[in-house]
């Protein structure tokens, strides 16, 4: 039986890029649905997503974790891929790279790794704290990456933080549940750097998610 994949894209005011992300998602032959979870956008994100053939859900609770949960609850297929809506330069085979370990080797969860400039919270907050509290995780290159794939059954058994801590929380919970994990290399990606005030909030929420899971 051919694998079937649901691509879920949480989005908040991403009218400039959402069409591109949807188009890249459809390049994979295993993708049977693309769902954009509109997380209270006030621009044309929803209109454009519908025009490009995505199914649109509305999540009225602000926060990526809420949007991710809404997507999982409404997805139809056993393999789920999450993509960030603000990445403009995904490769044409981004979905294939993320789902290949699941389809070919029955891996439970795949975390994207990539080359990028910046990553201040990753390098100055997440990695040092993980090295101290979870030394077995020191080799993960992009622990905060939001580009992930996994079995729906694995996602349904974990807790989703609702803020910037959601991505590291998912990784830690997946590992705690003894699921198999691999990284998939996506090449070099650009991301918009946040201002210092936003970085303080992000750092606090990432640290909170990590410390919450330390036994």
């Amino acid at each position: 039986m051919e694998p079937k994949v649901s691509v879920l894209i949480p989005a908040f005011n991403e009218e400039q890029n959402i069409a591109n992300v949807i188009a890249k998602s459809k390049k994979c032959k295993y993708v049977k649905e693309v769902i954009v979870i509109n997380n209270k956008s006030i621009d044309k994100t929803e209109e454009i997503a519908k025009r490009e053939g995505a199914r649109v859900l509305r999540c009225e609770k602000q926060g990526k974790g809420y949007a991710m949960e809404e997507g999982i609850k409404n997805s139809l297929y056993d393999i789920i891929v999450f993509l960030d809506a603000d990445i403009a330069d995904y490769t044409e085979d981004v979905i294939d790279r993320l789902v290949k370990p699941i389809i070919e080797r029955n891996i439970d969860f795949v975390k994207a790794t990539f080359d990028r400039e910046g990553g201040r919270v990753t390098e100055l907050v997440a990695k040092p704290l993980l090295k101290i509290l979870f030394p077995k995780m020191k080799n993960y290159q992009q622990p905060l990456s939001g580009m992930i794939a996994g079995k729906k059954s694995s996602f349904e058994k974990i807790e989703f933080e609702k803020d910037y801590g959601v991505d590291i929380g998912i990784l830690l919970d997946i590992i705690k549940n003894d699921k198999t994990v691999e990284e998939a290399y996506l090449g070099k990606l650009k991301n918009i750097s946040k201002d210092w005030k936003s970085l303080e909030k992000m750092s606090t929420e990432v640290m909170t998610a990590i410390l919450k899971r330390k036994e």
Side-chain angles (χ1 to χ4, degrees), residues 12-121:
F12 172 67
N13 291 342
E14 295 293 347
E15 65 180 9
Q16 298 298 321
N17 198 52
I18 193 66
N20 172 56
V21 180
I22 293 170
K24 295 290 179 62
S25 299
K26 292 181 176 180
K27 296 289 185 180
C28 175
K29 68 177 182 179
Y30 301 120
V31 172
K32 305 305 178 184
E33 65 174 353
V34 178
I35 302 176
V36 172
I37 307 96
N38 182 8
N39 199 197
K40 303 190 74 172
S41 299
I42 58 174
D43 64 359
K44 294 183 179 179
T45 295
E46 180 169 325
E47 176 185 333
I48 295 171
K50 288 179 177 178
R51 185 188 70 201
E52 296 300 317
R55 178 154 64 102
V56 176
L57 304 174
R58 290 181 180 177
C59 180
E60 298 302 332
K61 292 183 178 180
Q62 186 75 60
K64 184 180 178 182
Y66 288 117
M68 294 175 79
E69 287 179 326
E70 189 71 20
I72 291 170
K73 182 173 64 176
N74 288 280
S75 62
L76 298 177
Y77 302 111
D78 294 332
I79 299 175
I80 291 175
V81 175
F82 282 101
L83 290 184
D84 286 341
D86 61 348
I87 303 295
D89 53 349
Y90 286 124
T91 60
E92 298 291 307
D93 62 345
V94 57
I95 304 296
D96 290 284
R97 294 192 193 194
L98 287 169
V99 301
K100 182 178 179 180
I102 300 171
I103 293 171
E104 295 187 356
R105 296 186 295 281
N106 200 33
I107 296 299
D108 295 307
F109 180 79
V110 179
K111 185 85 166 176
T113 183
F114 47 86
D115 300 322
R116 60 163 289 187
E117 297 178 0
R120 292 165 289 180
V121 175

Side-chain angles (χ1 to χ4, degrees), residues 63-212:
K64 184 180 178 182
Y66 288 117
M68 294 175 79
E69 287 179 326
E70 189 71 20
I72 291 170
K73 182 173 64 176
N74 288 280
S75 62
L76 298 177
Y77 302 111
D78 294 332
I79 299 175
I80 291 175
V81 175
F82 282 101
L83 290 184
D84 286 341
D86 61 348
I87 303 295
D89 53 349
Y90 286 124
T91 60
E92 298 291 307
D93 62 345
V94 57
I95 304 296
D96 290 284
R97 294 192 193 194
L98 287 169
V99 301
K100 182 178 179 180
I102 300 171
I103 293 171
E104 295 187 356
R105 296 186 295 281
N106 200 33
I107 296 299
D108 295 307
F109 180 79
V110 179
K111 185 85 166 176
T113 183
F114 47 86
D115 300 322
R116 60 163 289 187
E117 297 178 0
R120 292 165 289 180
V121 175
T122 296
E123 299 299 331
L124 300 178
V125 178
K127 284 186 177 180
L129 194 55
L130 289 170
K131 185 176 182 180
I132 295 169
L133 299 180
F134 298 93
K136 292 182 180 180
M137 291 184 61
K138 65 181 180 180
N139 293 324
Y140 285 96
Q141 296 302 306
Q142 296 291 348
L144 304 186
S145 167
M147 291 81 80
I148 57 177
K151 298 176 181 178
K152 186 174 183 178
S153 57
S154 298
F155 286 122
E156 290 175 332
K157 295 177 182 177
I158 61 177
E159 176 184 359
F160 282 68
E161 301 295 328
K162 304 306 185 286
D163 51 30
Y164 285 120
V166 63
D167 295 312
I168 188 60
I170 290 171
L171 178 60
L172 288 170
D173 286 348
I174 288 286
I175 292 172
K176 183 178 180 180
N177 289 343
D178 295 320
K179 302 297 182 181
T180 51
V181 180
E182 280 192 14
E183 291 182 295
Y185 180 64
L186 301 187
K188 186 171 183 177
L189 299 178
K190 296 179 183 178
N191 205 337
I192 299 173
S193 296
K194 295 179 173 58
D195 58 39
W196 283 104
K197 187 175 182 180
S198 297
L199 288 176
E200 179 183 358
K201 183 176 187 295
M202 184 177 182
S203 298
T204 300
E205 292 170 355
V206 167
M207 285 190 291
T208 299
I210 295 173
L211 292 170
K212 181 179 179 180

